[in-house]
């Protein structure tokens, strides 16, 4: 895959070379409060977002905004600790910069995670949901304005966005470990406000199983750039459709941090299955 003009690309390439590292083959994105789900890497090197020319840094608690490079069973892996968000006032191009960078580096597969609220009443706090599909209600698309080689708008097929084979593999591994994954459809909203009762009922009515303010823009860009995408949401709160309860970001982080060990096992199973 040819290198593109993603801001910070040359800086990261130089940093990897100076550190004696090769380019990563796989990457993992860890969302709100999920940093401890990072796989156990050897020969670790870290680059904070604010060291990378042209990059912005978010200030949302639970997101350190750091790229961690290391080896896992001899394979070069990159882990994105935290992410940037559309609701922070950034444009979509900025939000997906880390994904564009990974594509430029030649990454083959990506595992994404985030915190999400349950719409499906069978879900419980701390549960993990394999994302099989999504509904984008963010009001924007990171591929807007993107052109193909002939200068025409990109009409990207999304029928196979989330890698079915990898999804089946991690689902089986989770089941064997005694921590079964649910599977469902993720609804993406722009935030930063949590949803009203009417909005929750609407999202459930149209087929949503969980709702979040992230992941979908990155998944779209990763798929467009040829990366195999696997995604898992950590259910951090369960909505009562009749009477939604007050919720804070700190509560979300607490549940996410408690679920991180289970997610770490899923990430390890994913790496083992594709490496």
């Amino acid at each position: 895959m040819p290198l593109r003009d993603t801001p910070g690309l040359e800086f990261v390439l130089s940093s990897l070379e100076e550190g004696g590292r090769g380019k990563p083959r796989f990457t993992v994105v860890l969302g709100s409060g999920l940093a401890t789900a990072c796989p156990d890497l050897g020969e670790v090197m870290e680059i904070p977002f604010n060291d990378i020319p042209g990059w912005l840094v978010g200030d949302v608690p639970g997101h350190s905004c750091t790229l961690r490079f290391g080896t896992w069973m001899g394979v070069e892996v990159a882990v994105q600790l935290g992410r940037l968000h559309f609701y922070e006032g950034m444009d979509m191009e900025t939000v997906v910069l880390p994904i564009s960078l990974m594509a430029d580096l030649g990454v083959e597969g990506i595992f994404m995670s985030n915190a999400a609220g349950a719409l499906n009443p069978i879900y419980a706090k701390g549960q993990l949901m394999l994302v099989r599909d999504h509904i984008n209600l963010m009001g924007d698309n990171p591929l807007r304005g993107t052109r193909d080689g002939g200068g025409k708008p990109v009409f990207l097929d999304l029928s196979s966005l989330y890698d079915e084979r990898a999804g089946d593999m991690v689902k089986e591994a989770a089941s064997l470990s005694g921590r079964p994954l649910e599977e469902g459809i993720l609804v993406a909203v722009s935030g930063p406000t949590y949803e009203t009762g009417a909005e929750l009922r609407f999202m459930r009515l149209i087929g949503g199983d969980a709702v979040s303010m992230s992941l979908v823009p990155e998944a779209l860009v990763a798929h467009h750039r040829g990366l195999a995408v696997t995604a898992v949401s950590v259910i951090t709160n369960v909505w009562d459709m009749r009477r939604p309860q007050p919720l804070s970001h700190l509560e979300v982080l607490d549940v996410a941090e408690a679920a991180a060990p289970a997610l770490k096992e899923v990430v390890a199973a994913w790496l083992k299955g594709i490496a």
Side-chain angles (χ1 to χ4, degrees), residues 1 7-8 12 23 31 35 37 43 48 53 64 80 138 169 171 194 230 246 274:
M1 185 175 294
V12 172
K23 297 177 186 176
E43 305 172 54
S64 66
Q80 182 183 322
M138 298 187 81
M169 179 265 297
K171 195 170 190 298
Y194 292 114
T230 306
I274 66 171

Side-chain angles (χ1 to χ4, degrees), residues 110-178:
I110 185 167
F111 182 102
M112 299 183 180
S113 66
N114 70 342
L119 298 169
N120 191 323
I122 71 170
Y123 292 173
K125 284 185 180 180
Q127 201 157 21
L128 305 184
M129 184 191 86
L130 176 67
V131 179
R132 288 295 196 180
D133 205 346
H134 75 240
I135 300 171
N136 184 5
L137 297 182
M138 298 187 81
D140 204 346
N141 189 307
L143 298 178
R144 180 175 175 268
T146 302
R147 304 286 171 171
D148 62 19
K152 297 180 180 179
V154 170
F155 296 106
L156 182 65
D157 174 62
L158 299 182
S159 60
S160 60
L161 194 163
Y162 298 98
D163 189 316
E164 184 176 4
R165 184 193 66 83
D168 290 344
M169 179 265 297
V170 296
K171 195 170 190 298
E172 181 180 2
S175 180
L176 292 173
S177 73

Side-chain angles (χ1 to χ4, degrees), residues 20-39:
R21 310 209 63 85
K23 297 177 186 176
R25 284 186 58 199
F26 305 106
T27 189
V28 176
V29 180
L30 298 174
S32 298
L34 297 171
T36 55
C38 181

Side-chain angles (χ1 to χ4, degrees), residues 42-93:
E43 305 172 54
V44 171
M45 181 184 81
E46 293 190 346
I47 305 177
F49 282 16
N50 57 8
D51 284 356
I52 304 175
W55 284 37
L56 297 180
V57 178
D59 57 1
V60 180
H63 295 264
S64 66
C65 290
T66 300
L67 295 179
R68 178 178 294 171
F69 298 89
T71 57
W72 189 89
M73 296 183 67
V75 178
E76 294 285 349
V77 175
V79 179
Q80 182 183 322
L81 302 172
R83 55 162 48 91
L84 305 174
H85 301 86
F86 190 49
Y87 64 71
E88 294 181 77
M90 302 172 185
D91 59 30
M92 281 294 186
E93 184 177 6

